[in-house]
Amino acid sequence: MDRSRMASMGSSESATPTSPTAKSVAPIVVRTAGATAVVGLLLLASSIVVTITGLLNLHNVLLGAVIATLGSVNALLSDTYQSPNIALTLLLALLGLWVIVSPFVLENTRTLVTVINVGGGLAVVLLAGTQLYGMFALSE
């Protein structure tokens, strides 16, 4: 390949994550994915701030980290590559449902911990639902 062709490929034909022909993703999809990651971090931090003990402590730390990671990956896919992942969003919704019921299944006796888990779980489920809505109804 000649040098002029290589130089032109470097400037105009370089591989970029988004292309003009890529399907446009509604901004709400990216924002809700990022917000889900923040809720995961808050759930993770709740174990330290509220001093949750026992099995629910480990549960909130691990599940908060998983939700934060999946939310971040989903935001990255949605924003940079214009390719939101429906499977990740559905998984986040299921994890949110588990966070809601986990204080009752794991026999928690503290009201504040129950409120944190139910509120965090509801936030994850609502954000995942909003993200799904954005994927199907608002994206071009």
Side-chain angles (χ1 to χ4, degrees), residues 101-118:
V101 299
S102 64
F104 307 106
V105 174
L106 299 176
E107 298 175 359
N108 173 54
T109 57
R110 294 179 61 192
T111 305
L112 181 59
V113 175
T114 302
V115 169
I116 288 170
N117 277 37
V118 170

Side-chain angles (χ1 to χ4, degrees), residues 36-88:
T36 304
V38 171
V39 172
L41 288 175
L42 292 174
L43 186 64
L44 185 143
S46 71
S47 293
I48 299 164
V49 175
V50 183
T51 319
I52 301 171
T53 58
L55 185 58
L56 201 57
N57 177 24
L58 180 63
H59 170 271
N60 279 9
V61 168
L62 293 177
L63 214 57
V66 167
I67 290 171
T69 303
L70 292 178
S72 298
V73 167
N74 212 2
L76 174 74
L77 291 174
S78 300
D79 188 34
T80 306
Y81 298 103
Q82 299 292 312
S83 175
N85 194 316
I86 295 170
L88 277 179

